[in-house]
Amino acid sequence: QILEEADFKGEDFNLFQVAGQKCLEDGYAAQLLEVIQNEKNKVIVKNMGWNLVSPLVRCIFTYKQEDDKREHCLKILDQLAQLCNPKELFLGLLEQIEQTSGEQVCQIVLLLLQPLQTVLLKLQHKKAYSVGLSLAVIMNQLAPLPVPYTKQQIQEDKLGLCRCCHAVVDFTKPFVNEVVKNTEKSSEYNDTELKEELLKFCVKSLEYPLLTAQLEQLEGIEEHPFRHFATEIIDILWDIRELIPLVFLHRKVRSLDWENREFADIERKNSADSLACLSYLMFVQHFGIDRFPVVFSPSYLLQCNMTHIEALLKRTEESVLSKGLDLFESCLLRVEDNSLLHQYLEFRDFINVPQDLVKVMTLCPMEHLRKKSLSILQLFIDKFNAEGKYTLFRCLLKTSNHSGVEGYIIKNIKDQIHLSLTNMCDNVWFTGHHLISLLDLVLLLPEGAETDLLQNSDRIMASLNLLRYLVIKDCESDNQTGVWTTLAKIKQNFLKPLHVGLNMSKAHYEAEIKNKKENRREAHSSNTVCSVTVSGEKMPAMTTEMQLQVLHSALFTFDLIESVLARVEELIETKVKAGMDENR
């Protein structure tokens, strides 16, 4: 008590720490509180008190919630926040948060947020940097924790993440208010360090936990913790005047100049995910939409959001993928049918997004997302004008590499041709020489007669149905579609190799069936199995009976293709003959 600050030595600090720790461990928290509250010890506590943070935190978690000793420990922590050197205590508190891992993270954060806020408000130097460092450390510690997704998980909040999100937002409020006050004082206050640190926190929060969080209203939960957190983050962005710049100008948050390219790429990706999540919050969940300027056309909003949609559709998690699909659907529903010009397809995103959508349709293991992506692809097609549809069809036929998708596009082409032939208006894109160019992509076998007909059956059936429709609907004398002009080419590139391919395929599968039946007779049991491996994973074993069933199913598909092919050739022959009779 009699020493001045300058006279304290290293052993004094050690002695104070050991004595304080001993008091806490032996249950003398009440007496230690009296020592700290004693005015005569003010200088000692100011300089040495921060050393008690670590033993204090350990003791707090040792005692039960209702224990008086725990209450005394909490009061000591509060006193330290008021009396200690802010810089030293700040580092001590941050160190405690940083050293914690696993299930205790949220408990430590919830315990130390209030004293940490008190200390930061007292800091005179490097305040913005210290606030930013605190928020970064807290968010990095929370990031490995799984985000509760189901209603039950959210209600249980087993690890305390929901409560932590609420507390962290409250922690930032005095600093947000400081930025707001300074902005109101001076219109030139645009880019302070504190504002930048708060912006970084918001961007990080959008990436975690909001990007993977369940944000739909859940019955039985009055205040959804993540919806509340999202609202607060939007409010902070609005208060610091960064909401609209982030949504529209894709304002880049000042980032570190990483020498390591890999770190720079990770940061860029995380930033893209955050901005995508912000768009989802605004345009799908309508957080902050009342502050949104209603002067932009739906097509412009779609254009702005395509980058975000692309970022979300590249992810594989259900919670993120569904956000991408919802955002895409929401933007498309605002746009009128047949209104998007073909020039939009000159933007890279307008080509990449439908390709990503095709990957979801064909590769996503979740059926409801596959079905939704298919309906959104149709919605996307419907929004383009005739030339836009034509360009999009060409692109998807060349890039999808999936028979089912190609079959779906060919069906869409047939629908557009039907509209062109039945409407009064003349649609040049799905008749005449433009259509002939498109038919060159449709009415052909990718590898000629050696094409895997079973693998490409959807595409082949759709192509045959389209050709049958053209032959029935378009008279040779009118030839609006141009199909009769290019008939020789269609026969050479499509019908002839299809005949050869069908004969080869049927002969091969019939031989396989014969072999299986002979092998079955020779085998001791009809339950002989064969193993099938797909992508390195062994599939359930197939009995001979199951193999025969698959082979017969393939033959049925070939018969179906052959019957439609025969019908098409019969129609062509009938029409050609009728045309020749008319010319006589």
Side-chain angles (χ1 to χ4, degrees):
Q1 289 178 356
I2 60 169
L3 291 174
E4 296 294 325
E5 281 185 54
D7 297 327
F8 290 139
K9 295 175 184 173
E11 53 263 32
D12 297 326
F13 284 86
N14 291 337
L15 189 63
F16 180 82
Q17 185 178 4
V18 170
Q21 189 170 328
K22 183 73 174 159
C23 286
L24 289 167
E25 286 171 357
D26 291 349
Y28 297 116
Q31 287 81 347
L32 182 59
L33 179 60
E34 286 176 19
V35 171
I36 287 170
Q37 287 174 329
N38 190 333
E39 190 68 24
K40 293 177 184 177
N41 300 324
K42 195 174 177 183
V43 177
I44 299 172
V45 175
K46 180 187 174 186
N47 288 275
M48 303 185 192
W50 65 274
N51 279 305
L52 293 177
V53 171
S54 181
L56 199 56
V57 167
R58 279 200 303 273
C59 283
I60 288 170
F61 287 114
T62 305
Y63 299 126
K64 290 182 179 175
Q65 197 75 29
E66 62 279 358
D67 199 318
D68 288 342
K69 289 174 184 173
R70 189 178 195 276
E71 195 59 39
H72 290 136
C73 289
L74 291 171
K75 283 181 180 175
I76 292 170
L77 187 59
D78 184 52
Q79 284 294 307
L80 293 179
Q82 301 297 333
L83 300 172
C84 284
N85 181 318
K87 183 183 172 184
E88 303 292 350
L89 187 58
F90 164 68
L91 294 171
L93 291 169
L94 215 54
E95 188 179 28
Q96 281 301 300
I97 294 172
E98 206 164 15
Q99 287 178 349
T100 313
S101 60
E103 295 185 6
Q104 269 204 322
V105 168
C106 287
Q107 295 174 43
I108 292 285
V109 170
L110 289 166
L111 174 68
L112 299 182
L113 270 180
Q114 187 56 58
L116 186 60
Q117 185 193 64
T118 304
V119 170
L120 285 167
L121 289 168
K122 289 166 71 177
L123 279 177
Q124 299 300 315
H125 303 291
K126 291 195 172 181
K127 184 176 179 179
Y129 169 79
S130 301
V131 170
L133 182 61
S134 302
L135 289 168
V137 167
I138 290 165
M139 295 308 287
N140 285 339
Q141 288 296 91
L142 295 177
L145 300 178
V147 179
Y149 192 71
T150 65
K151 179 182 173 182
Q152 186 181 350
Q153 287 170 345
I154 290 169
Q155 285 175 322
E156 283 178 1
D157 192 21
K158 199 174 178 183
L159 297 177
L161 182 63
C162 298
R163 280 170 289 141
C164 248
C165 289
H166 197 288
V168 172
V169 165
D170 287 342
F171 170 82
T172 63
K173 283 184 177 175
F175 310 112
V176 174
N177 292 336
E178 189 177 321
V179 171
V180 171
K181 281 178 187 173
N182 289 330
T183 308
E184 287 170 355
K185 281 180 193 171
S186 170
S187 58
E188 294 174 10
Y189 182 89
N190 294 329
D191 199 20
T192 68
E193 288 181 30
L194 185 56
K195 179 179 176 180
E196 197 72 33
E197 297 299 346
L198 290 168
L199 178 59
K200 284 180 187 175
F201 160 69
C202 290
V203 169
K204 176 67 181 171
S205 299
L206 289 164
E207 190 247 326
Y208 175 93
L210 291 175
L211 184 65
T212 52
Q214 160 67 270
L215 291 165
E216 298 294 337
Q217 276 286 16
L218 295 172
E219 195 179 332
I221 298 182
E222 195 171 324
E223 187 176 58
H224 190 308
F226 292 120
R227 286 181 69 86
H228 173 77
F229 185 61
T231 305
E232 294 283 4
I233 293 297
I234 296 285
D235 286 344
I236 292 172
L237 287 170
W238 177 258
D239 289 339
I240 65 173
R241 302 189 180 184
E242 288 293 345
L243 182 61
I244 303 304
L246 269 186
V247 174
F248 280 108
L249 308 179
H250 304 293
R251 180 195 187 292
K252 297 287 183 269
V253 182
R254 194 179 298 142
S255 59
L256 298 170
D257 295 323
W258 293 103
E259 287 182 14
N260 187 318
R261 179 75 182 271
E262 191 179 338
F263 288 158
D265 288 343
I266 290 169
E267 189 174 352
R268 199 178 303 113
K269 180 189 170 298
N270 289 347
S271 179
D273 288 344
S274 298
L275 294 175
C277 183
L278 178 61
S279 277
Y280 169 82
L281 291 176
M282 289 202 74
F283 296 109
V284 179
Q285 294 297 337
H286 302 137
F287 292 121
I289 201 72
D290 52 324
R291 293 150 175 171
F292 192 76
V294 284
V295 293
F296 300 105
S297 69
S299 56
Y300 178 71
L301 291 180
L302 173 65
Q303 186 187 331
C304 285
N305 277 308
M306 286 301 266
T307 305
H308 305 318
I309 293 162
E310 185 182 1
L312 295 171
L313 292 185
K314 288 201 185 304
R315 298 283 291 265
T316 54
E317 308 93 316
E318 180 186 2
S319 55
V320 184
L321 254 183
S322 62
K323 286 181 177 68
L325 293 173
D326 287 344
L327 180 58
F328 197 13
E329 183 179 45
S330 175
C331 292
L332 288 172
L333 288 171
R334 292 183 172 92
V335 179
E336 281 185 36
D337 285 357
N338 307 308
S339 67
L340 284 183
L341 302 175
H342 73 279
Q343 284 93 337
Y344 278 95
L345 291 166
E346 292 172 14
F347 294 114
R348 181 181 58 84
D349 299 330
F350 275 78
I351 292 296
N352 289 350
V353 167
Q355 289 176 0
D356 289 333
L357 207 56
V358 165
K359 286 176 186 170
V360 178
M361 283 162 51
T362 55
L363 301 175
C364 179
M366 286 152 281
E367 187 184 3
H368 68 285
L369 294 184
R370 290 200 304 272
K371 285 181 176 178
K372 182 160 188 172
S373 60
L374 178 62
S375 68
I376 291 172
L377 178 64
Q378 187 59 59
L379 198 59
F380 186 61
I381 290 167
D382 293 343
K383 300 305 168 184
F384 280 94
N385 64 7
E387 189 176 353
K389 287 186 177 77
Y390 178 87
T391 309
L392 185 59
F393 292 155
R394 289 189 71 92
C395 170
L396 289 171
L397 283 171
K398 287 178 180 178
T399 60
S400 66
N401 296 318
H402 188 278
S403 174
V405 176
E406 289 164 0
Y408 188 78
I409 297 303
I410 292 166
K411 180 185 174 298
N412 263 277
I413 292 170
K414 176 173 160 285
D415 293 341
Q416 291 305 312
I417 295 168
H418 179 72
L419 286 173
S420 302
L421 294 177
T422 53
N423 282 0
M424 295 302 289
C425 60
D426 183 28
N427 186 345
V428 297
W429 291 99
F430 291 96
T431 54
H433 70 277
H434 286 303
L435 179 58
I436 290 171
S437 174
L438 192 57
L439 291 178
D440 287 343
L441 290 175
V442 173
L443 302 175
L444 89 163
L445 293 178
E447 280 100 38
E450 294 178 5
T451 300
D452 186 335
L453 301 187
L454 201 59
Q455 189 76 29
N456 287 276
S457 60
D458 287 340
R459 178 198 167 108
I460 291 165
M461 285 298 290
S463 299
L464 285 170
N465 282 326
L466 171 60
L467 184 56
R468 179 173 61 178
Y469 171 82
L470 291 171
V471 171
I472 292 171
K473 200 75 180 173
D474 193 16
C475 298
E476 190 178 1
S477 55
D478 295 338
N479 197 23
Q480 285 178 271
T481 61
V483 68
W484 297 101
T485 310
T486 190
L487 194 57
K489 192 177 180 182
I490 292 169
K491 285 179 178 178
Q492 185 65 32
N493 292 345
F494 184 53
L495 301 180
K496 189 177 174 184
L498 184 55
H499 263 298
V500 175
L502 280 168
N503 291 335
M504 286 165 56
S505 297
K506 285 178 78 174
H508 172 72
Y509 276 82
E510 282 165 356
E512 277 292 310
I513 289 170
K514 188 179 177 184
N515 284 339
K516 293 289 175 193
K517 285 179 177 177
E518 286 174 3
N519 290 342
R520 185 176 60 181
R521 287 192 208 100
E522 291 169 12
H524 297 297
S525 167
S526 64
N527 289 328
T528 305
V529 297
C530 80
S531 64
V532 180
T533 305
V534 179
S535 302
E537 285 188 32
K538 202 169 183 182
M539 303 302 286
M542 289 177 71
T543 64
T544 306
E545 289 300 331
M546 289 163 74
Q547 293 172 53
L548 282 167
Q549 199 174 343
V550 171
L551 292 168
H552 279 296
S553 176
L555 274 181
F556 176 76
T557 302
F558 299 143
D559 288 341
L560 194 63
I561 292 172
E562 196 168 40
S563 68
V564 179
L565 174 60
R567 177 66 181 141
V568 168
E569 290 181 325
E570 182 189 330
L571 285 167
I572 291 171
E573 194 179 325
T574 305
K575 284 269 186 149
V576 169
K577 191 177 179 183
M580 288 170 67
D581 290 344
E582 279 180 22
N583 291 333
R584 281 176 188 164

